[in-house]
C-alpha cells in the first residue's frame, strides 16, 4: 500500500478538532495576519495594550493540536540559552508599581508560593505571577476535547499521588482550596472496568515481535497462558513465565543490604539477562515499561529503583521479590490507591488556587463545581485585584536593584508579545525550571549556577484522542494496553471519574478520551543524555507525525475490535512537555551526593531577596514536592517581612 493510501485509510485527510490554539502561536511569531475564521483568537502581533488573555474567547484549554509547550512559550528561553536573545531584545519599559512578591512560573509551585505568601502577608499583599505558557498550571494543564455532543476533559499532570503521605503544608493547601481527597473514594468508580470485564492487555507489534497481536487478560489469566498467546519464542516465553511465577533468589550469597546495593547499581535490563539469565529476547517485552515514570527504558534505571517505585499500571517488574521483598501493586511506598484524579487532573488544583486568589476569574465555590467552571482569563491580570497572573510572559532577567545583601527591590524583566517590560518586586520566588535560573540571574555564585544546571528535565508527551465510542475496547476486553515496541508504549481509556456535573462516559457507546504516552529517548546513553536527545526530538516533531503515529497505532491495536481511525477519531491533543518531570537522581549514573550537597540542595539556596521554588528544587517530580518547595522558598523570604 502506498503512503498516501495508508494515510487515507488512517483518516489523515479528515477534518478533526486539531487546530492549534493560535493565540499561543501568535505570541511566538508575532506580526503575521491571522485568517478571520478563528473566532476568539484575536489578531497576531497585536500590541500588549490588548494582551491575548484579555481578548474575548481566550480559552487555551479548548485548543487542540500541539499543547503542553505551546509555540510561543519557549523561543525567548532558547534565545537566552543560545546567547542570541539580547541581540534583538530592545529596551524594557517599566510597568506597574512595586509588588510585594513577584513569582516566576504559574505552575503548581508558583501558585503555591503565592498561596503561602498570602497566608503570611495577608490577602491584600500585591503579587504578580508571570508565566511563559499561554495558560496557568504548568504541567497541571487542563484540556477540553469534544466528541459527539459532549465535552471531554483531559489533563497534563494526572493525579494527586498518595495524598496520605503529603506534608502538613501540602495537605493544608489542598484543604484551604477545598479539596477533600476522601471524596474520590466515591467519585472514582473502581468497579466499572471489572463489571464490564475489561482488563489489561499487551500489544505486540510486528516491527519488534514479528506480527501485530493484542493479547488481553494480563493478570487475570495465568501468565503461562497469557504469554503463550504472544508472538514470543519458546525461550522468551519460558523465561518470562519463570520471572512472574517463581520466587528465585538470584543472589543467594549476599546479605539483604548487599542485595539491595547490588541491584541499585545494575539496570533492570542487565538484571534480566546477566543475573536472571533470561534470553535477550525478553528485554523488548519490558524495555519501555519504565518510560511513563522515568522517561527512559529499563537500560537506564536500576532494578532496585524499579522495584521500589513500582509500576502504576500493574504490569510490574518481575523477578526481584525474593531478594527485595514484595513490591505490592504499585511499589512499597504508595499506600493509597491511584484514584485521586480530577477529570482534568491536577489542573483542578491549579484552578482552585487561582479561584482562591481571583474568585471572579473562576466562578463557583467547591471542588465539584470547579470541574466545569469556565475560566474568564480576562480577569486574571486586572487592577485592583491584589493577585495578578500574566500569561505569555517569559521572564528573561531577575536582579537586585543594588547589592543583593542590602538591595530593597528585585527588578524582573520579561518579554511578552515581542515587547520588553520591567517590573519591580520587594521579593521574588523563582518557580520556573532550575536550569533556567542561571540565565535569569547571572549574578548568582558560579557553584550555585552549576548546581542549578545539573538536572535535566524529562521530555515526555501525553496525547489525548477523542473517539466516537469505545466499543472496540469493550469487544477486545481491555481498558489499558502496554505496547512495548510502539511509538506510544502505553494507551488507556480515561479514568472512570465523575465529579459534580461532569459525568464519566460509562457506556461503551459514548465518546471517550484515549490517553497515550510517549517519551523520546536513546538507550545506551545516561539518563540525562537521553533526556537531552529527547528534548531535541520533541521540538523537531510536528503535530502531523504524532497524528499519523496515533492513528496507525490505534488502528493496529484496536482494529480487530472494529475501530476505524478514519471514522472514529474526532480530536487529538498533543501534550508536548520538553521540560517534563523534575530530574530525580539515578543510582546508575549520578554519584551518591552527601546530605546538603546534592545539586538541587546547593542550587536552591536563597540569594538576597530571591528564593527558588519548583519541583526541581526537591528533585522529585510530584505535586507535593512542588508545594513543599514553594513553602520553603516563601519561608526563606520571611525575614524580609514588612520591608
Ligand atoms: C505529563 C506529566 C504528568 C505528570 N503527572 C503527575 C501526577 O500524576 N501527579 C503528580 O503529583 N505529578 C505529576 N507530574 C509532575 C509535575 O511536574 C508536578 O506535579 C508539578 O505539577 C510540577 O509543578 P512545578 O510548578 O514544579 O513545575 P511546572 O509545572 O513545570 O511549572 C513551572 C512553570 O514555570 C514556567 N516558566 C519556566 N520558565 C519561565 C520563565 N522564564 N518565565 C516565566 N515562566 C517560566 C513554565 O512555563 C511552567 O509553567 C507530571 C508531570 C508531567 C510533565
Amino acid at each position: 500500500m502506498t503512503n498516501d493510501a495508508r494515510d487515507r485509510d488512517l483518516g489523515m485527510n479528515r477534518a478533526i478538532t486539531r487546530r492549534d490554539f493560535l493565540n499561543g502561536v501568535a505570541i511566538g511569531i508575532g506580526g503575521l495576519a491571522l485568517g478571520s475564521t478563528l473566532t476568539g483568537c484575536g489578531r497576531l502581533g497585536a500590541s500588549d495594550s490588548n494582551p491575548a488573555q484579555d481578548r474575548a474567547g481566550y480559552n487555551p484549554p479548548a485548543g487542540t493540536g500541539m499543547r503542553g509547550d505551546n509555540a510561543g512559550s519557549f523561543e525567548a528561553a532558547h534565545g537566552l540559552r543560545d546567547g542570541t536573545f539580547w541581540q534583538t531584545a530592545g529596551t524594557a519599559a517599566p510597568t506597574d508599581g512595586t509588588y510585594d512578591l513577584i513569582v516566576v512560573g504559574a505552575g503548581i509551585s508558583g501558585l503555591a508560593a503565592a498561596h503561602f505568601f498570602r497566608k503570611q502577608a495577608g490577602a491584600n499583599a500585591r503579587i504578580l505571577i508571570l508565566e511563559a505558557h499561554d495558560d496557568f498550571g504548568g504541567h497541571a494543564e487542563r484540556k477540553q476535547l469534544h466528541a459527539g455532543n459532549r465535552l471531554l476533559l483531559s489533563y497534563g499532570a494526572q493525579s494527586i499521588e498518595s495524598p496520605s503521605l503529603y506534608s502538613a503544608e501540602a495537605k493544608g493547601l489542598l484543604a484551604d482550596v477545598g479539596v477533600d481527597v476522601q471524596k474520590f473514594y466515591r467519585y472514582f468508580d473502581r468497579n466499572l472496568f471489572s463489571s464490564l470485564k475489561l482488563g489489561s492487555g499487551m500489544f505486540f507489534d510486528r516491527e519488534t515481535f514479528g506480527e501485530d497481536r493484542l493479547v488481553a487478560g494480563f493478570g487475570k489469566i495465568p501468565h503461562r497462558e497469557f504469554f503463550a498467546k504472544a508472538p514470543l519464542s519458546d525461550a522468551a516465553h519460558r523465561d518470562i513465565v519463570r520471572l512472574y511465577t517463581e520466587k528465585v533468589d538470584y543472589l543467594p550469597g549476599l546479605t539483604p543490604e548487599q542485595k539491595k546495593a547490588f541491584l541499585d547499581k545494575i539496570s533492570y535490563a542487565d538484571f534480566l539477562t546477566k543475573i536472571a539469565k533470561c534470553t535477550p529476547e525478553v528485554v523488548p517485552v519490558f524495555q519501555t515499561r519504565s518510560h511513563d515514570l522515568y522517561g527512559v527504558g529499563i537500560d537506564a534505571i536500576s532494578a532496585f529503583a524499579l522495584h521500589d517505585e513500582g509500576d502504576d499500571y500493574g504490569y510490574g517488574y518481575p523477578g526481584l521479590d525474593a531478594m527485595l521483598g514484595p513490591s505490592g501493586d504499585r511499589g512499597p511506598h504508595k499506600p493509597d490507591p491511584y484514584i485521586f484524579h480530577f477529570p482534568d487532573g491536577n489542573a483542578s488544583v491549579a484552578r482552585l488556587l487561582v479561584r482562591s486568589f481571583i474568585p471572579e476569574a473562576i466562578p463557583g465555590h467547591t471542588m465539584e463545581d470547579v470541574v466545569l467552571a469556565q475560566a474568564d482569563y480576562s480577569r486574571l491580570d486586572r487592577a485592583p485585584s491584589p493577585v495578578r497572573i500574566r500569561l505569555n510572559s517569559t521572564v528573561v532577567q531577575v536582579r537586585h536593584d543594588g547589592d543583593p545583601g542590602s538591595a530593597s527591590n528585585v527588578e524582573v524583566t520579561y518579554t511578552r508579545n515581542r515587547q520588553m517590560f520591567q517590573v519591580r518586586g520587594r521579593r521574588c520566588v523563582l518557580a520556573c525550571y532550575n536550569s533556567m535560573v542561571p540565565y535569569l540571574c547571572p549574578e548568582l555564585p558560579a557553584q550555585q549556577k552549576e548546581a542549578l544546571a545539573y538536572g535535566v528535565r524529562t521530555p515526555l508527551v501525553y496525547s489525548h484522542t477523542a473517539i466516537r465510542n469505545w466499543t472496540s475496547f469493550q469487544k477486545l476486553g481491555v481498558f489499558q494496553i502496554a505496547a512495548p515496541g510502539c511509538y506510544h508504549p502505553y494507551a488507556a481509556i480515561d479514568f472512570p471519574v465523575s465529579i459534580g456535573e461532569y459525568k464519566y462516559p460509562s457506556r461503551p457507546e459514548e465518546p471517550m478520551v484515549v490517553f497515550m504516552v510517549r517519551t523520546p529517548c536513546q538507550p545506551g546513553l545516561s539518563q540525562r543524555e537521553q533526556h537531552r536527545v529527547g528534548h531535541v526530538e520533541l521540538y523537531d516533531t510536528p503535530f502531523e507525525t504524532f497524528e499519523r503515529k496515533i492513528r496507525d497505532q490505534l488502528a493496529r491495536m484496536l482494529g480487530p475490535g472494529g475501530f476505524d481511525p478514519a471514522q472514529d477519531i474526532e480530536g487529538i491533543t498533543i501534550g508536548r512537555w520538553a521540560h517534563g518531570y523534575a530530574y530525580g537522581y539515578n543510582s546508575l549514573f549520578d554519584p551518591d551526593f552527601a546530605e546538603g550537597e546534592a545539586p538541587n540542595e546547593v542550587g536552591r539556596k536563597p540569594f538576597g531577596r530571591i528564593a527558588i521554588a519548583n519541583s526541581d528544587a526537591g528533585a522529585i517530580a510530584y505535586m507535593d514536592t512542588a508545594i513543599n518547595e514553594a513553602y520553603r522558598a516563601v519561608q526563606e523570604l520571611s525575614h524580609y517581612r514588612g520591608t
Side-chain angles (χ1 to χ4, degrees):
M1 188 187 288
T2 64
N3 286 346
D4 284 352
R6 177 66 182 156
D7 273 1
R8 254 197 319 280
D9 280 359
L10 293 177
M12 284 297 288
N13 54 344
R14 286 203 53 227
I16 56 168
T17 50
R18 65 178 177 220
R19 172 172 56 86
D20 281 335
F21 179 69
L22 282 166
N23 272 330
V25 177
I27 303 304
I29 59 181
L32 300 178
L34 176 67
S36 58
T37 51
L38 301 170
T39 53
C41 283
R43 190 173 56 78
L44 292 175
S47 90
D48 202 63
S49 57
N50 181 17
Q53 72 188 61
D54 286 353
R55 293 182 217 149
Y58 185 90
N59 187 29
T64 54
M66 201 67 101
R67 300 284 308 139
D69 293 328
N70 62 283
S73 65
F74 51 84
E75 293 80 353
H78 289 177
L80 277 182
R81 178 199 61 196
D82 300 339
T84 54
F85 178 79
W86 294 106
Q87 291 163 15
T88 53
T91 313
T95 182
D96 303 355
T98 301
Y99 287 91
D100 296 308
L101 173 71
I102 297 176
V103 180
V104 180
I108 291 289
S109 201
L111 297 173
H115 172 84
F116 290 124
F117 186 75
R118 292 182 94 212
K119 284 193 91 153
Q120 197 179 82
N124 290 330
R126 294 191 67 227
I127 303 173
L128 174 66
I129 308 175
L130 293 163
E131 169 54 49
H133 280 95
D134 59 15
D135 203 355
F136 59 82
H139 296 157
E141 177 185 63
R142 175 184 172 92
K143 296 177 186 144
Q144 297 174 186
L145 286 148
H146 285 272
N149 283 330
R150 68 160 290 165
L151 168 71
L152 297 165
L153 293 177
S154 62
Y155 49 82
Q158 211 168 55
S159 303
I160 306 172
E161 174 63 76
S162 296
S164 69
L165 298 182
Y166 270 34
S167 66
E169 290 76 27
K171 279 182 182 157
L173 178 143
L174 291 183
D176 285 347
V177 299
V179 177
D180 176 356
V181 292
Q182 294 306 316
K183 288 184 173 178
F184 286 97
Y185 286 93
R186 276 188 283 127
Y187 295 156
F188 192 108
D189 185 348
R190 287 201 274 175
N191 298 319
L192 180 71
F193 293 150
S194 55
S195 72
L196 293 170
K197 300 196 170 26
L198 305 186
S200 304
M202 285 184 77
F203 178 70
F204 298 87
D205 63 295
R206 61 174 175 267
E207 292 86 344
T208 315
F209 299 99
E211 65 175 280
D212 283 352
R213 202 184 293 173
L214 178 75
V215 183
F218 180 90
K220 263 195 191 157
I221 58 175
H223 291 299
R224 183 175 303 282
E225 206 181 305
F226 180 87
F227 286 104
K229 296 183 185 181
L232 295 170
S233 70
D234 287 349
H237 175 258
R238 183 196 61 226
D239 286 347
I240 292 175
V241 171
R242 165 165 65 91
L243 288 168
Y244 272 110
T245 57
E246 295 175 17
K247 250 189 155 186
V248 180
D249 181 353
Y250 295 102
L251 302 170
L254 304 186
T255 65
E257 275 315 301
Q258 287 169 327
K259 285 174 185 165
K260 185 181 150 194
F262 179 87
L263 293 169
D264 203 27
K265 292 289 176 195
I266 186 170
S267 72
Y268 186 62
D270 280 350
F271 164 78
L272 291 174
T273 55
K274 294 180 180 159
I275 307 301
K277 304 287 183 207
C278 296
T279 164
E281 292 169 56
V282 305
V283 173
V285 175
F286 296 98
Q287 173 60 28
T288 54
R289 193 162 291 180
S290 50
H291 274 206
D292 186 32
L293 272 189
Y294 290 91
V296 287
I298 61 166
D299 57 291
I301 305 292
S302 79
F304 175 77
L306 290 177
H307 179 271
D308 205 43
E309 188 67 23
D311 169 32
D312 283 346
Y313 302 130
Y315 294 90
Y317 298 100
L320 298 163
D321 284 8
M323 291 158 290
L324 296 173
S327 87
D329 247 9
R330 297 197 301 125
H333 308 300
K334 295 175 179 164
D336 303 339
Y338 200 60
I339 58 168
F340 306 97
H341 175 82
F342 283 96
D344 60 359
N346 293 349
S348 274
V349 177
R351 282 157 55 87
L352 286 165
L353 278 160
V354 171
R355 175 190 274 177
S356 73
F357 308 149
I358 313 167
E360 59 278 18
I362 303 189
H365 304 281
T366 66
M367 69 179 267
E368 287 80 14
D369 64 25
V370 80
V371 174
L372 286 177
Q374 176 61 53
D376 180 351
Y377 283 81
S378 72
R379 303 282 185 152
L380 292 180
D381 186 11
R382 255 196 217 176
S385 170
V387 183
R388 299 173 68 164
I389 302 174
R390 197 161 293 166
L391 303 172
N392 303 305
S393 303
T394 301
V395 172
V396 291
Q397 191 175 66
V398 179
R399 66 171 184 212
H400 292 91
D401 63 354
D403 181 78
S406 56
S408 47
N409 286 303
V410 178
E411 292 170 347
V412 176
T413 307
Y414 65 93
T415 173
R416 164 146 125 161
N417 201 14
R418 291 205 151 190
Q419 296 173 61
M420 298 283 286
F421 301 93
Q422 191 176 81
V423 61
R424 290 159 80 91
R426 307 293 280 170
R427 38 190 98 55
C428 178
V429 169
L430 299 178
C432 53
Y433 323 131
N434 267 7
S435 57
M436 183 87 204
V437 175
Y439 298 105
L440 304 185
C441 304
E443 59 182 0
L444 283 175
Q447 193 206 8
Q448 186 169 1
K449 284 197 277 191
E450 199 183 316
L452 286 160
Y454 185 89
V456 182
R457 279 190 160 205
T458 305
L460 75 161
V461 179
Y462 272 19
S463 302
H464 288 94
T465 301
I467 57 175
R468 278 206 307 182
N469 59 61
W470 48 290
T471 53
S472 53
F473 281 90
Q474 189 199 23
K475 282 185 193 140
L476 295 167
V478 292
F479 70 87
Q480 65 171 356
I481 304 170
C486 288
Y487 193 77
H488 298 92
Y490 179 78
I493 56 178
D494 202 9
F495 295 101
V497 183
S498 298
I499 298 188
E501 295 301 308
Y502 187 82
K503 304 294 176 215
Y504 183 74
S506 55
R507 290 182 305 109
E509 297 73 30
E510 293 182 86
M512 175 57 75
V513 174
V514 180
F515 162 66
M516 298 169 91
V517 63
R518 167 167 179 78
T519 55
C521 46
Q522 192 170 313
L525 301 176
S526 70
Q527 184 174 354
R528 290 190 301 150
E529 283 306 318
Q530 294 203 41
H531 290 343
R532 289 200 179 97
V533 172
H535 286 171
V536 176
E537 183 190 311
L538 279 199
Y539 285 124
D540 282 354
T541 306
F543 175 81
E544 189 190 347
T545 301
F546 286 111
E547 177 179 1
R548 186 175 287 109
K549 294 282 187 190
I550 288 170
R551 287 178 179 277
D552 178 64
Q553 190 173 334
L554 291 179
R556 287 163 61 183
M557 294 193 310
L558 303 174
F563 184 82
D564 175 355
Q567 297 303 320
D568 292 335
I569 290 178
E570 302 224 341
I572 297 176
T573 296
I574 304 298
R576 168 180 64 178
W577 298 107
H579 303 275
Y581 304 149
Y583 184 71
Y585 301 114
N586 183 319
S587 58
L588 297 182
F589 305 107
D590 298 314
D592 289 332
F593 297 108
E595 204 182 323
E597 290 175 21
N600 65 303
E601 295 170 304
V602 176
R604 71 187 178 203
K605 293 209 162 76
F607 182 65
R609 290 171 177 267
I610 301 169
I612 296 174
N614 194 273
S615 46
D616 286 346
I620 299 176
Y622 283 109
M623 181 162 75
D624 54 331
T625 305
I627 297 170
N628 295 341
E629 295 302 320
Y631 180 76
R632 176 196 44 74
V634 168
Q635 289 304 111
E636 284 170 352
L637 294 175
S638 61
H639 58 278
Y640 291 113
R641 197 178 302 178
T643 65

